Amino acid sequence: MFDFDWLIQPYSKQDFFENIWQKNAIQLASKRPHHFERFFSAHDLERTLEYGQPKPPSIRLASTTANEKVTPPYNSTGRLDIDKLRKYYLSGQTVIVNNVEDFDANVAMLVQALQKEISCRAQVNAYLTPPSAQGFNPHYDTHDVIVMQIEGEKLWRVHDKDSVCPLNELTNGDPRLREATTEPTQIKLTAGDVLYMPRGWIHEAETTETASLHLTIGIHPPLGKDLLAAALECACRLHPQFREPLPVGFLGSPEAKPLLQQQFAELLHLFTQTASVEQATGVIEDELVRRGRSGGDGHLFSDMNKLHAITTDSKVERRQDVPCRLVDTDKGIGLQFLGSVIEGPPAFEPAMRFVMQQTDAFKVGTLPDLEPDHQRALMASLITDGLCRFTETTW
């Protein structure tokens, strides 16, 4: 199971979130040379390039020594020119594939597990760097980073944080960057190692005599401003005052300024009186639920052929990597997941909640408080839309 525990062992999640998260850049794991062998490899990256055929911005090239920026090469048929790509790699270019979770099932599984664990968006980029090369000058990221060294080794130089909770990224190659920071900590990563860096910490990385393949997990936690923006979005739906226009000519008219100040004060008061953290977090949760993935586990189409034979004795299970939540609907209650909302009257809530809480296989007939026909109908909808699947699990 590729999840957060697997990623950071021997560290515990409690230790990580209490003592490291958003506080320190630290090497989380080392001396695990075979840890990622069954997860991802250079072979998997090659398959992604050849058969996934990523297009910019999903693929890019980077080098600190190149005289000019190089773009990924494509041949006359529109396919990625692997021959030219190899030549660019030999010249010192780092090959970067963004959003590897869109091309690889194992990476997608890890991303879903991280998003569920941390309650925020995550995405993974792959970096293939030739020997004695460097892709980027010192810089910081505006999101947290977990580096997974897949193959080879890479030397990282990590400076202290340059910005507290940054919103905008520094320009790569700024000559003032190194002068303004302390002496960096040098960390050499080898296969199986993991490095964590909070956002705002300046870093750079280069290969020595060996090539390197690493994955970078970008973690994008919602910020305080996102919570307020979500609350304001909800307020706009409920209160027309937030949708009213500002006074005519307010930018250049002194007469309009008092009206603008009055409108601002009234809106601020209305917001503080009616804003709801539950509604705001619901907006953020909705985004995460919509980022769920169906898994590609061999059941997406084969299960459709079994729906006609579903009974209360049919064995099913909930896909653990698909996030879901209960929502209020016009019909009463809904179970939201992926791009679907399965609706039903309020009497369906216990059964929907039961499905959400299941981690083991169960029989359709165990759905609580529903007649057999409704049990079968609800489960058929959950299987059709991808939250549940048939299983041959034995008890």
Side-chain angles (χ1 to χ4, degrees), residues 112 115-116 118-121 220-223 226-227 229-231 233-234 237 276-292 318 322-328 334-341 353 356:
Q112 291 299 316
Q115 291 182 158
K116 182 178 179 180
I118 309 179
S119 299
C120 66
R121 180 171 64 89
H220 304 258
L223 311 179
D226 299 317
L227 183 66
E233 179 182 332
C234 295
R237 296 174 185 170
S276 163
V277 68
E278 290 80 12
Q279 291 177 348
T281 54
V283 171
I284 296 173
E285 186 179 15
D286 176 75
E287 179 185 346
L288 283 177
V289 168
R290 292 176 186 275
R291 285 180 59 82
R318 187 201 140 195
V322 176
C324 62
R325 66 171 185 150
L326 287 176
V327 294
D328 294 326
L335 187 53
Q336 180 190 4
F337 55 92
L338 301 175
S340 300
V341 178
R353 194 176 296 279
M356 288 179 59

Side-chain angles (χ1 to χ4, degrees), residues 137-141 157-163 170 177-178 180-181 184 197-204:
N137 288 309
H139 65 284
Y140 69 70
D141 296 306
R157 298 183 183 89
V158 182
H159 299 259
D160 201 353
K161 57 187 175 184
D162 181 79
S163 176
L170 284 176
L177 205 52
R178 288 180 176 172
T181 58
M197 287 180 291
R199 58 195 180 116
W201 288 61
I202 296 173
H203 58 274
E204 59 181 316

